[in-house]
């Protein structure tokens, strides 16, 4: 699970102790509950990238209550403070503006797929506890995608396989700046993704087989499934597009998008290729 935290002062009104499951440590425990009016629930985090970058992650705008108050809870075990959905309507009339500034370690749970696949911090909407072991948080879009996979497979086989790969892999992504001003956090896994981008830039268009031959020079276990994963990743990053041959799928051509071309240009400057 991906959890990000930041210590910050939040104006709160303490109102009671509650028993609840903490989304950070996943324990049912006693927690202090607070009301907070229009709190800044964003978390600023420094990412382990090359070079390091700082990003600000904020929950969606739909979390507010009509009275501008929300409930926060502080776990007695891990000490993290997090938002609890909704404010009991019967208590709204009793709320007062005599808040006090207290330091809290504010925590946000982020989508595992967004982070592990694309190194993006997206606040999660859905928690899934896998029967095969392990737990993940997912954003709304990835939750829908995973549920569609479950319908096809009968269980969370694909998700469980991804979780297993994440647990055994520690990788430092790279940060490149495009000439349009956009900053891109890019997989640097064994140098293959940057190499694929620059290779496509030089060739103009390539086939899956050509990519297979390229990557196989440095990795003996590469196969078409891995190439498909790379292409899916680059599509998800809006860096490549695919021209399908309706009769022969394997002969489809892959080419860079406009942003892909800018990424290739930035990578060429880094690697001097």
């Amino acid at each position: 699970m991906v959890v990000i935290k930041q210590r910050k002062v939040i104006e709160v009104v303490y109102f009671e102790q509650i028993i609840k499951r903490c989304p950070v440590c996943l324990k049912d425990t006693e927690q202090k509950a607070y009301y907070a009016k229009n709190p800044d629930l964003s978390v600023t985090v420094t990412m382990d990238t090359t070079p390091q970058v700082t990003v600000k992650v904020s929950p969606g705008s739909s979390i507010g209550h009509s009275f501008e108050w929300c409930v926060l809870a502080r776990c007695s075990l891990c000490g993290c403070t997090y938002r609890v959905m909704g404010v009991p309507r019967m208590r709204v009339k009793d709320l007062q503006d005599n808040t006090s500034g207290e330091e809290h370690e504010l925590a946000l749970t982020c989508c595992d797929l967004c982070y592990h696949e694309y190194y993006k911090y997206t606040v999660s909407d859905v928690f899934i506890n896998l029967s095969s072991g392990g737990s993940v948080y997912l954003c709304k879009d990835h939750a829908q995608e995973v549920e569609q996979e479950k319908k096809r497979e009968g269980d969370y086989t694909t998700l469980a396989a991804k979780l297993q790969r994440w647990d055994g892999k520690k990788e430092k992504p790279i940060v490149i700046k495009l000439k349009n001003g956009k900053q891109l956090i890019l997989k640097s896994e064994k140098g293959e993704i940057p190499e694929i981008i620059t290779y496509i830039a030089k060739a103009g268009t390539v086939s899956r087989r050509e990519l297979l031959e390229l990557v196989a020079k440095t990795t003996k276990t590469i196969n078409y499934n891995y190439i498909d994963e790379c292409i899916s990743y680059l599509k998800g990053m809006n860096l490549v597009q695919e021209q399908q041959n309706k009769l022969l799928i394997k002969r489809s051509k892959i080419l860079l998008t406009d942003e892909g071309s800018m990424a290739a240009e930035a990578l060429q400057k880094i690697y001097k290729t």
Side-chain angles (χ1 to χ4, degrees), residues 114-155:
C114 287
Y115 179 78
H116 288 100
E117 300 293 321
Y118 301 105
Y119 300 100
K120 294 178 182 177
Y121 285 109
T122 305
V123 177
S124 62
D125 297 293
V126 177
F127 173 78
I128 297 179
N129 196 17
L130 301 175
S131 58
S132 57
S135 305
V136 296
Y137 280 106
L138 300 176
C139 64
K140 183 178 180 181
D141 290 342
H142 277 131
Q144 291 176 346
E145 180 183 307
V146 164
E147 289 305 319
Q148 288 174 355
E149 289 177 352
K150 183 185 178 184
K151 286 181 181 178
R152 292 195 301 267
E153 300 169 353
D155 54 24

Side-chain angles (χ1 to χ4, degrees), residues 7-103:
R7 297 199 71 84
K8 60 197 308 182
V9 175
I10 304 175
E11 293 289 328
V12 296
V13 177
Y14 170 75
F15 72 97
E16 67 181 12
Q17 297 282 109
I18 60 175
I19 301 294
K20 200 174 186 307
R21 188 192 200 203
C22 173
V24 180
C25 65
L26 302 179
K27 304 287 186 182
D28 289 312
T29 183
E30 189 175 74
Q31 301 168 36
K32 288 184 176 180
Y34 304 85
Y35 286 116
K37 188 171 185 179
N38 291 324
D40 176 10
L41 299 181
S42 65
V43 170
T44 300
V45 59
T46 300
M47 297 186 67
D48 186 21
T49 56
T50 304
Q52 284 192 325
V53 293
T54 300
V55 296
K56 185 176 182 179
V57 186
S58 302
S61 58
S62 61
I63 64 169
H65 187 274
S66 58
F67 290 88
E68 299 178 327
W69 289 86
C70 68
V71 173
L72 304 179
R74 176 188 280 173
C75 177
S76 61
L77 291 181
C78 68
C80 290
T81 296
Y82 60 94
R83 178 182 54 85
V84 179
M85 289 297 290
V87 176
R89 289 186 178 276
M90 67 187 72
R91 295 182 180 274
V92 170
K93 60 182 176 60
D94 298 324
L95 295 178
Q96 300 177 9
D97 289 332
N98 59 337
T99 59
S100 60
E102 295 184 14
E103 187 177 62

Side-chain angles (χ1 to χ4, degrees), residues 174 176 186-204 206 210-219 222 226-227 230 233-234 239-240 256 260 263-268 270-271 273:
I174 60 175
I176 59 175
L186 193 67
K187 273 187 178 182
S188 60
E189 181 180 350
K190 301 175 184 175
E192 289 156 9
I193 290 298
E195 186 179 8
I196 287 173
I197 293 172
T198 53
Y199 180 76
I200 298 174
K202 290 176 181 178
V206 299
E210 288 171 313
L211 291 182
L212 181 69
E213 292 172 353
L214 168 72
V215 179
K217 293 177 183 177
T218 55
T219 309
I222 293 302
Y226 180 80
I227 295 302
C230 289
Y233 167 74
L234 290 168
L239 298 180
V240 304
L256 297 178
E265 185 180 334
L267 288 167
Q268 286 166 1
I270 293 173
Y271 295 111
T273 58

Side-chain angles (χ1 to χ4, degrees), residues 107 156 158:
Y156 294 113
T158 299

